[in-house]
């Protein structure tokens, strides 16, 4: 029996699926979470447009950097989607994605400092997101803290 079936049948609370007994999802976008989802949305638009433009016009100049920026764009878009979608499954997916994003930012940030020659052009995560006011390194930490403390 699926979680939605249990909720509909009244035999479960629906908590594991992030649904309330009435079938509605638990909202993740409320209070400070609204700022988190807004920032992820802005980062999604910025990273997607930057990477698409760079890949389309100058990919051969810095393929690694532009591919990593495209990967960051996908991560940001997925996290934005999960936060807007809501529910406990989306919360867990967002937590895992924020942790993966933080690992990516720290890895790429360290890599760009250790081997600058590998990056003839910057990525979204270069120098831990310095070109984006360090939002790329602060946002996943903020997102994980908010997701863990805002349970309803």
């Amino acid at each position: 029996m699926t979680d939605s079936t249990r909720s509909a049948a009244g035999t479960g609370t629906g908590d594991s699926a992030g649904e309330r007994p009435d079938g509605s999802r638990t909202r993740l976008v409320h209070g400070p979470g609204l700022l988190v989802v807004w920032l992820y949305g802005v980062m999604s638009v910025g990273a997607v447009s930057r990477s698409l433009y760079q890949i389309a016009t100058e990919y051969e100049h810095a393929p690694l950097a532009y591919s990593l920026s495209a990967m960051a764009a996908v991560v940001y878009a997925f996290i934005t989607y999960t936060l807007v979608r809501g529910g406990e499954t989306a919360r867990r997916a967002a937590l895992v994605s924020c942790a993966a994003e933080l690992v990516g930012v720290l890895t790429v940030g360290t890599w760009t400092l250790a081997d600058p020659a590998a990056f003839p052009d910057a990525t979204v995560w270069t120098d831990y997101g310095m070109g984006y006011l360090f939002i790329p390194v602060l946002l996943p930490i903020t997102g994980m803290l908010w997701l863990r403390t805002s349970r309803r």
Side-chain angles (χ1 to χ4, degrees), residues 42-119:
V42 168
M43 292 300 291
S44 297
V45 170
V48 166
S49 50
R50 173 187 177 147
S51 62
L52 286 176
Y53 173 79
Q54 290 174 321
I55 288 171
T57 62
E58 45 195 40
Y59 183 75
E60 54 285 335
H61 174 66
L64 177 61
Y66 303 153
S67 296
L68 288 170
S69 287
M71 185 182 77
V74 170
V75 170
Y76 291 140
F78 180 75
I79 293 171
T80 303
Y81 168 76
T82 59
L83 292 174
V84 170
R85 180 168 169 73
E88 189 58 31
T89 302
R91 174 191 301 281
R92 283 191 222 119
L95 270 169
V96 169
S97 297
C98 285
E101 174 195 358
L102 183 59
V103 169
V105 172
L106 295 175
T107 301
V108 172
T110 302
W111 189 2
T112 58
L113 292 174
D115 187 11
F119 296 89

